[in-house]
Amino acid sequence: MSKPTDKQLQQVYNIFQTLSEASDHFHKLIKEKELNQSIFIFSSIVDGFQALSRIDAVSKIEEWNIRKNKAEKHLLDIAQLLEKGNFIKISEILQFSYLPLLNKITKDISKSMDDQKSKKYKIGVFASFHNPRAFYPEARVNALVQESERQNTQLLFFTSTDVNFEKEVITADVYTDGKWERITTHFPDVINNVGAGKRSHIERKLRRVIPFTSFHVGNKLSLPMRMAKYKKYVELLVPFRLCRNEVEIHEFLKDNNKVVFKYLQSNRGENIYFVTKKGTRYAVQEHKNERILSQEAFEEWLQTVILQEKGSFIVQRYIHTRTKEDEPYHFRAHVQKNGEGKWGLTHIYPRLGNRKSNLSNVATDGRVDNFHDFLVREYGGKAEKYESDILRLSIEIALHLDKLYGLALDELGIDLAIDENGRYWMHEANNGPQTAYHEEKRAVNTIAYAKYIAKNGIFYTESLRKSWSGMFQARTANIALAELDNRTTVGVLQGKIVNDSLATTLAETAERKNIHLYTFTPKDVDYDEMLIKGHFYEDNKWIPKIVEYPDAIIDRLQLRGDEDAQWIYEELEDIAFTNKWTGRKYKKSGIYKKLQASEEINDILAPYQKVSKTRDIFSFIEKYGKVILKLESGNISGTQYIEKLSNGKYFVTKGTSVTEYSEFPLLNKLKELIKEDNFIVQKDARSLNKNGQPTSFSMQLIQDKVDKWKFISLFADLKANPADNTSKNLTEELTEFLRDNYGEKEATELESKIKELAKTVGVSLQKIYGNVVTEVTIELGIDDNQHLSLIEVNPNSPNTIYDTATYAENVISYASYLGLLTKSNDSFVKI
């Protein structure tokens, strides 16, 4: 159970002191038998106790609750006696029961406040993917440890793999009695987090239960754009533009003859290029190396360096800020919040570069100087004014940026300079600045601010980080809260909110089954608040409402295993999904290989081979005449059918497009394909139906609540005949197709065989991969002898739903079953 913070304790203490004063006055009025005034003051006492009940952290402490309930019982007795005008009995309760209890509670709170003040706070030093001890400079670790001891705190160095949420403990490195130890201890009171990149799922969960000290201000683009949006101090910004194409870069060069290209993710002076336009030539300088490029060479350089990853560089006007000795320089002001949560200057110093370079970076052959001495030497009589202005701007900019970022910043490195005209410029501001020359100074404020956050229980959120990416934020959303009862709630996760036939059929089926259903996208999830902007189908349209996480999820996004989508599946890991197949993890050849090893499947799987050279494809063509070329990734849109014709040419069919190739053009096409992607080649085991169309049988199966496979759809997939421009791709219901092409008796036997084989594949997949396989799409080919061959298996949710009503009926039933299981498990845990 979390303890109340200093701030909450002080709030409760103030209320109880007010109650004590009011109760003493009430006692005096009762003795004087002043009924009207007694009733008035008694009402204010009752209001005070109601205010106490609204303080969450205190109301959850059992001991205080018992005493507060006793006091409230005395107040109820007094209220009844007031109605009867029994002043003697009221005075007796006040003197011997109520007032002594009130004084006891007030003293206990005061003692708790004293205990909190002397508490030894545990400060976690944390990074998502590596223990900070592994990459922090030794001087920084030592400075933090020494300052931690001086301020009576304990530092715990740990990373995501060290966290156990079930037991609320971490395993961390601590420095004790002159040596490092590895200990397991309760969660820290506050976390000083390191790094501004990708967050682990563990970090997102920790942020819900433990206050963090640090939040990212963005990169070289997002920070100045945010400053420009709010106008203030915008005159300090160096003009810039995002590098998206050559046209925009050349437009910028027209107005700015000398520019700087900066990589957005760089630091320590890396990936920075100075370019000067000289007629039709360009001087490109990196560090101390300069090259003169022709127009053509410069265009190539732009494409291969600046635009290789579009939007990864900005181009800025070059600002001439050099010393009398022609050394490039800027001022680095390191500002931090202190133990009172207020901004202060930790250290400021000039950073000077080599005169042969344009970079004033210590990491690239640079040096530092004394701030005051440098100004006097460079600017003489103007030094005092420049010093005052730079110091003032350092704090004012920090205060301004802190407001823009919801008061969540803790430290900044602000780079300022003065040009030859005496104008001030801000080159950039960043988190976690280099502090090699003042680690001890930094440590003082780092520890003190962490203690301040812990004492006051201040929880900042990643609202700015989420707003940049368009993430839903429940606290600021102006939409209604969904009013749901205790029925099962199913969420449909998808890439965007669509009003297609499947979405509406799912909603209508859920309503008929008395189930709440809403759709949502990853950006609709507020993981800080564990709330979702769910879209509910009402009056033939999707209405957004704020809703809690669902009991079960139908996954239409189908990106499990994709690196960019990993976070959403981690975030919702405690919720039952109807399908948990990690589609991006497995390649087709790997699935086929495992199925081939299965006794039930090995003799029906159509021959296949991984493609390493074009020779592999042509060998299959020579052997089988017709082949299927498939992407290893499982993307069916890349599937191509190749058929060798009697005249030595080839038909290549992709989707509805058919192209005729001679051997060498086809060879070149295939070479280009296998350069870009990984493929497998497989025998095309489809026969031609009576109309000359290549035919296969496709089935979609889903697991039901008793672990049985049920068919969602069965149909014949009739592809257009490549030799007939008039034919089209068609689908036909399986039973009807079989009867039409094989006759009543053979059709019945063949349909039974097809279904049995499809279920066998489903069972085999579950044996191999476990219960993550709950949906599967299967495609079977058939030859002229009615021999069935397995030519496709996709354990992901189907890309195309042919029978939305049947699919919705079954997937909603399964999701509801999973949701009820979740609710039962939750109830069991609560009991």
Side-chain angles (χ1 to χ4, degrees):
M1 183 71 69
S2 60
K3 294 182 179 179
T5 64
D6 280 359
K7 200 171 184 179
Q8 291 167 327
L9 280 171
Q10 187 66 54
Q11 186 182 2
V12 173
Y13 181 71
N14 292 341
I15 293 174
F16 269 109
Q17 277 202 315
T18 304
L19 284 171
S20 294
E21 291 170 7
S23 298
D24 286 337
H25 184 55
F26 177 63
H27 192 196
K28 182 182 176 184
L29 292 172
I30 289 296
K31 286 178 180 178
E32 295 170 357
K33 299 186 178 179
E34 291 282 352
L35 181 61
N36 290 335
Q37 290 185 49
S38 296
I39 291 172
F40 177 77
I41 198 73
F42 181 73
S43 296
S44 68
I45 292 170
V46 172
D47 289 342
F49 271 91
Q50 288 177 344
L52 279 170
S53 300
R54 291 193 289 270
I55 301 175
D56 226 18
V58 174
S59 66
K60 292 176 182 176
I61 298 175
E62 188 176 358
E63 186 181 352
W64 286 17
N65 257 338
I66 292 170
R67 290 179 177 174
K68 186 170 71 69
N69 290 340
K70 281 184 180 178
E72 289 174 342
K73 173 67 170 62
H74 293 319
L75 292 177
L76 181 60
D77 292 340
I78 289 168
Q80 292 170 347
L81 291 168
L82 268 175
E83 289 180 358
K84 298 175 182 177
N86 192 338
F87 293 103
I88 296 173
K89 186 63 176 174
I90 293 172
S91 181
E92 184 181 314
I93 292 172
L94 288 169
Q95 184 173 351
F96 299 108
S97 300
Y98 172 75
L99 288 173
L101 178 61
L102 206 59
N103 290 334
K104 171 69 173 157
I105 294 173
T106 308
K107 284 178 183 177
D108 284 349
I109 296 169
S110 180
K111 183 177 180 302
S112 294
M113 289 170 67
D114 291 337
D115 291 342
Q116 285 278 61
K117 286 175 183 176
S118 61
K119 174 183 175 180
K120 185 171 184 175
Y121 286 98
K122 293 191 295 184
I123 301 172
V125 184
F126 169 86
S128 274
F129 301 104
H130 301 283
N131 189 316
R133 266 198 73 207
F135 60 83
Y136 255 178
E138 185 179 359
R140 175 167 292 191
V141 173
N142 291 341
L144 286 171
V145 167
Q146 289 168 16
E147 187 58 32
S148 171
E149 291 175 352
R150 196 185 69 78
Q151 294 195 38
N152 190 35
T153 62
Q154 183 185 37
L155 288 188
L156 306 166
F157 291 81
F158 71 108
T159 187
S160 297
T161 53
D162 298 322
V163 181
N164 184 325
F165 277 100
E166 188 176 342
K167 296 181 179 178
E168 294 191 353
V169 297
I170 62 169
T171 302
D173 296 340
V174 298
Y175 191 78
T176 308
D177 298 329
K179 61 182 180 183
W180 286 98
E181 293 181 0
R182 191 96 171 132
I183 67 167
T184 298
T185 183
H186 290 297
F187 279 176
D189 301 297
V190 61
I191 290 177
N192 174 245
N193 50 304
V194 181
K198 188 177 178 183
R199 303 270 190 249
S200 69
H201 179 42
I202 297 298
E203 177 170 345
R204 292 196 299 273
K205 290 177 72 174
L206 283 172
R207 284 177 181 269
R208 294 175 190 153
V209 294
I210 303 172
F212 275 58
T213 62
S214 303
F215 292 81
H216 187 37
V217 296
N219 58 27
K220 292 175 175 64
L221 174 67
S222 58
L223 174 65
M225 285 184 68
R226 189 158 188 81
M227 288 183 69
K229 179 181 177 181
Y230 290 94
K231 309 300 182 188
K232 195 173 182 181
Y233 298 112
V234 72
E235 73 280 358
L236 296 175
L237 297 175
V238 180
F240 70 96
R241 182 173 290 185
L242 182 65
C243 297
R244 290 177 292 199
N245 55 59
E246 281 188 39
V247 174
E248 290 181 347
I249 293 172
H250 283 296
E251 283 178 1
F252 195 81
L253 281 165
K254 281 181 186 176
D255 300 324
N256 304 280
N257 197 49
K258 190 168 183 178
V259 299
V260 187
F261 289 93
K262 293 181 178 179
Y263 185 59
L264 292 177
Q265 305 303 326
S266 69
N267 55 29
R268 301 173 66 85
E270 298 166 348
N271 295 309
I272 294 178
Y273 305 92
F274 294 84
V275 173
T276 305
K277 187 177 181 182
K278 298 180 177 181
T280 59
R281 294 183 176 275
Y282 298 84
V284 179
Q285 183 178 350
E286 182 183 10
H287 300 312
K288 290 180 282 186
N289 302 316
E290 183 174 281
R291 293 178 292 161
I292 304 297
L293 302 180
S294 65
Q295 182 76 37
E296 184 179 348
F298 181 66
E299 303 290 351
E300 184 181 350
W301 179 80
L302 286 178
Q303 289 296 332
T304 57
V305 177
I306 304 302
L307 296 172
Q308 183 180 31
E309 182 187 345
K310 286 182 173 55
S312 61
F313 276 83
I314 60 168
V315 58
Q316 278 185 326
R317 180 198 299 172
Y318 170 75
I319 303 298
H320 186 78
T321 53
R322 301 179 84 92
T323 67
K324 292 175 181 177
E325 299 297 323
D326 199 32
E327 296 169 307
Y329 88 92
H330 69 265
F331 302 113
R332 163 56 60 88
H334 183 195
V335 291
Q336 288 180 279
K337 283 182 179 173
N338 59 22
E340 295 178 344
K342 296 178 180 177
W343 285 101
L345 183 71
T346 301
H347 195 57
I348 187 167
Y349 56 97
R351 303 168 75 168
L352 297 92
N354 189 293
R355 71 186 63 184
K356 294 181 181 179
S357 171
N358 284 312
L359 287 175
S360 50
N361 193 292
V362 179
T364 54
D365 197 23
R367 61 189 175 86
V368 300
D369 202 345
N370 177 274
F371 178 60
H372 175 77
D373 294 346
F374 174 86
L375 287 172
V376 171
R377 185 172 66 248
E378 292 293 326
Y379 298 105
K382 296 180 180 178
E384 186 177 345
K385 179 182 185 306
Y386 286 165
E387 181 172 355
S388 174
D389 286 350
I390 294 294
L391 293 176
R392 173 181 54 80
L393 278 172
S394 300
I395 298 300
E396 286 182 353
I397 290 170
L399 287 166
H400 176 60
L401 292 177
D402 199 23
K403 288 177 183 176
L404 297 186
Y405 287 79
L407 304 179
L409 304 182
D410 65 328
E411 71 174 330
L412 290 168
I414 302 172
D415 290 347
L416 298 162
I418 307 168
D419 68 14
E420 66 264 38
N421 300 314
R423 179 173 174 178
Y424 302 120
W425 295 96
M426 187 184 93
H427 288 301
E428 64 178 272
N430 54 59
N431 297 100
Q434 295 297 314
T435 54
Y437 303 98
H438 58 283
E439 290 290 4
E440 292 79 9
K441 289 183 180 180
R442 177 188 182 274
V444 171
N445 289 315
T446 299
I447 301 299
Y449 181 64
K451 284 178 66 177
Y452 166 78
I453 290 290
K455 282 181 181 179
N456 292 283
I458 298 172
F459 274 81
Y460 291 115
T461 66
E462 294 189 290
S463 58
L464 262 297
R465 183 185 178 96
K466 291 191 289 188
S467 69
W468 294 333
S469 56
M471 295 289 291
F472 172 61
Q473 297 180 69
R475 289 186 181 184
T476 57
N478 188 26
I479 57 176
L481 185 68
E483 296 180 6
L484 307 182
D485 53 29
N486 201 37
R487 286 178 286 165
T488 299
T489 302
V490 173
V492 182
L493 174 63
Q494 48 197 51
K496 59 182 180 180
I497 302 304
V498 290
N499 194 23
D500 62 4
S501 61
L502 178 58
T504 54
T505 305
L506 287 169
E508 290 164 354
T509 304
E511 184 177 12
R512 182 165 45 78
K513 289 179 172 288
N514 210 24
I515 293 165
H516 296 299
L517 180 138
Y518 62 80
T519 63
F520 68 103
T521 72
K523 286 193 174 184
D524 291 328
V525 179
D526 184 337
Y527 50 76
D528 283 324
E529 303 295 331
M530 295 184 72
L531 293 171
I532 291 175
K533 179 171 71 174
H535 295 77
F536 292 80
Y537 193 63
E538 298 175 0
D539 299 324
N540 298 320
K541 56 186 176 183
W542 294 95
I543 308 297
K545 295 180 183 180
I546 298 174
V547 64
E548 293 181 348
Y549 283 7
D551 301 310
I553 293 174
I554 299 168
D555 184 10
R556 292 188 70 190
L557 187 66
Q558 298 181 28
L559 287 179
R560 191 180 288 273
D562 185 281
E563 185 177 349
D564 292 332
Q566 181 182 352
W567 74 270
I568 187 67
Y569 293 100
E570 289 177 339
E571 177 61 29
L572 304 171
E573 66 182 359
D574 295 328
I575 301 172
F577 275 70
T578 56
N579 190 334
K580 286 192 174 183
W581 176 254
T582 312
R584 301 304 173 97
K585 180 179 176 181
Y586 301 104
K587 294 181 178 179
K588 278 193 189 297
S589 60
I591 298 171
Y592 291 176
K593 185 177 180 180
K594 288 184 179 292
L595 284 173
Q596 203 169 36
S598 168
E599 290 182 9
E600 298 91 341
I601 306 297
N602 61 4
D603 62 335
I604 64 161
L605 182 63
Y608 74 95
Q609 181 181 331
K610 292 172 68 173
V611 174
S612 58
K613 297 178 181 178
T614 53
R615 184 172 59 216
D616 301 328
I617 302 171
F618 279 99
S619 295
F620 256 62
I621 294 173
E622 290 303 316
K623 186 174 183 178
Y624 298 111
K626 296 189 298 179
V627 300
I628 309 172
L629 192 63
K630 302 177 182 179
L631 283 166
E632 278 272 34
S633 64
N635 188 345
I636 62 169
S637 63
T639 300
Q640 302 185 53
Y641 301 89
I642 306 173
E643 178 182 358
K644 187 173 182 179
L645 307 177
S646 57
N647 61 5
K649 293 188 177 183
Y650 302 84
F651 274 148
V652 178
T653 305
K654 184 178 180 182
T656 58
S657 170
V658 180
T659 308
E660 185 177 304
Y661 286 90
S662 297
E663 184 172 343
F664 285 111
L666 178 59
L667 178 68
N668 291 330
K669 171 188 166 64
L670 295 176
K671 277 183 180 177
E672 290 301 314
L673 281 176
I674 64 177
K675 268 185 191 177
E676 296 176 5
D677 278 300
N678 296 315
F679 287 86
I680 64 169
V681 62
Q682 186 178 41
K683 174 187 176 182
D684 186 350
R686 301 173 303 164
S687 62
L688 301 180
N689 67 7
K690 64 182 182 181
N691 296 319
Q693 293 170 287
T695 303
S696 60
F697 306 131
S698 290
M699 288 137 283
Q700 294 169 353
L701 293 86
I702 191 170
Q703 193 86 91
D704 67 11
K705 59 187 178 183
V706 291
D707 296 333
K708 299 279 189 181
W709 285 107
K710 295 185 70 173
F711 287 94
I712 299 300
S713 61
L714 298 98
F715 58 92
D717 190 358
L718 316 176
K719 296 297 183 185
N721 188 334
D724 182 0
N725 293 329
T726 63
S727 66
K728 296 179 180 179
N729 293 339
L730 299 169
T731 59
E732 189 174 331
E733 196 273 326
L734 180 65
T735 303
E736 185 178 332
F737 172 85
L738 292 175
R739 286 175 180 169
D740 191 33
N741 282 266
Y742 295 96
E744 185 77 32
K745 182 180 178 183
E746 284 191 54
T748 302
E749 292 177 359
L750 194 52
E751 182 173 355
S752 175
K753 191 176 178 182
I754 289 169
K755 288 181 176 179
E756 184 182 347
L757 184 54
K759 288 184 177 180
T760 300
V761 173
V763 170
S764 296
L765 281 169
Q766 280 193 326
K767 284 181 181 178
I768 296 167
Y769 295 104
N771 60 6
V772 296
V773 180
T774 53
E775 294 183 50
V776 62
T777 301
I778 294 165
E779 185 178 3
L780 300 174
I782 187 169
D783 64 17
D784 295 333
N785 298 317
Q786 297 184 18
H787 175 74
L788 294 168
S789 296
L790 178 63
I791 56 177
E792 181 60 289
V793 54
N794 177 18
N796 219 338
S797 301
N799 292 291
T800 304
I801 308 294
Y802 292 93
D803 186 343
T804 56
T806 305
Y807 179 79
E809 183 75 24
N810 285 277
V811 79
I812 291 292
S813 294
Y814 188 48
S816 173
Y817 164 70
L818 294 175
L820 287 171
L821 279 183
T822 302
K823 285 190 171 192
S824 300
N825 290 338
D826 287 346
S827 300
F828 178 75
V829 170
K830 289 172 186 173
I831 292 168

